[in-house]
């Protein structure tokens, strides 16, 4: 697993600053595969748009055939980030796995975020194989981690993720423990507060 994945020699791939939140190598019956994970928990899609209608992306599209219509997908600003993350995953598979394969793109989002699901469905319509992208809530991911944990340590990690990011039971305590009192005069405002 690589967190905040970006290749060291970007000029050999897409020649931009795109990063994948997590790139996971998964062993399957048919061989190793990659899963590119993009998380959308608090930030929004496309806060930074990059011009992807250029040579490295065009060559990748022609060589691999990921998208039905590269013109349409490269020109869709709302899909820019998903295209860049997926393209980077495609571009590095040969080096990482020893063979060219289109990775699965998994978008993990907050359960109340409806726009992520809509964007992922829109992106799926542009793919030659729409099964190569999926959106799941963080709750679903943590539930899957809990049910597939192979050790007590893995179960503890899944439980910690659940408490911190799903139930948010530990969020306030973690904030208070951070020692950052720069907001609100050093006090955390509670519900109904006028501060």
């Amino acid at each position: 697993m690589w967190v905040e994945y970006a290749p060291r020699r970007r000029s050999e791939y897409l020649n931009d600053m795109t990063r994948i939140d997590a790139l996971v190598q998964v062993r399957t019956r048919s061989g190793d595969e990659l899963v590119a994970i993009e998380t959308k928990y608090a930030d929004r899609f496309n806060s930074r748009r990059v011009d992807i209608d250029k040579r490295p992306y065009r060559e990748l599209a022609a060589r691999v055939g990921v998208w039905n219509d590269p013109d349409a997908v490269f020109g869709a600003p709302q899909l820019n980030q998903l295209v860049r993350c997926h393209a980077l995953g495609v571009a590095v598979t040969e080096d990482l796995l020893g063979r060219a394969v289109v990775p699965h793109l998994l978008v993990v989002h907050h359960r109340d975020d409806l726009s992520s699901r809509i964007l992922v469905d829109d992106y799926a319509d542009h793919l030659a194989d729409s099964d190569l992208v999926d959106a799941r809530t963080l709750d679903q991911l943590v539930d899957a981690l809990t049910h597939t944990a192979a050790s007590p340590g893995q179960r503890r990690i899944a439980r910690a993720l659940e408490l911190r990011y799903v139930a948010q039971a530990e969020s306030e305590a973690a904030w208070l423990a951070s020692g950052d009192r720069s907001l609100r005069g050093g006090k955390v405002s509670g519900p109904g507060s006028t501060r």
Side-chain angles (χ1 to χ4, degrees), residues 16-149:
D16 62 28
M17 301 297 286
T18 298
R19 289 181 174 274
I20 299 172
D21 289 339
L23 191 60
V24 182
Q25 186 173 346
V26 180
R27 180 149 296 149
T28 70
R29 288 184 201 124
S30 57
D32 286 0
E33 296 181 21
L34 290 179
V35 177
I37 301 174
E38 178 62 24
T39 57
K40 288 293 159 198
Y41 191 70
D43 60 336
R44 49 193 175 91
F45 273 103
N46 302 308
S47 55
R48 182 177 68 91
R49 187 169 184 269
V50 174
D51 179 16
I52 57 176
D53 194 2
K54 53 188 183 180
R55 202 184 90 222
Y57 284 88
R58 287 285 174 185
E59 288 174 353
L60 180 73
R63 190 173 69 248
V64 182
V66 179
W67 304 283
N68 295 321
D69 181 356
D71 291 332
V73 78
F74 291 170
Q78 73 277 14
L79 301 178
N80 187 267
Q81 188 174 14
L82 290 176
V83 174
R84 287 186 291 114
C85 289
H86 210 186
L88 179 57
V90 172
V92 301
T93 56
E94 197 162 9
D95 286 346
L96 296 177
L97 299 181
R99 61 189 173 94
V101 62
V102 179
H104 191 90
L105 177 62
L106 174 63
V107 178
V108 179
H109 61 91
H110 191 280
R111 66 178 165 254
D112 295 331
D113 175 8
L114 303 178
S115 65
S116 288
R117 178 86 244 179
I118 292 167
L119 285 171
V120 167
D121 288 345
D122 186 16
Y123 181 62
D125 290 341
H126 289 276
L127 293 173
D129 180 357
S130 62
D131 289 337
L132 288 173
V133 65
D134 198 9
R136 297 289 175 197
T137 66
L138 186 59
D139 309 51
Q140 291 170 315
L141 177 65
V142 169
D143 189 50
L145 290 173
T146 301
H147 286 89
T148 60

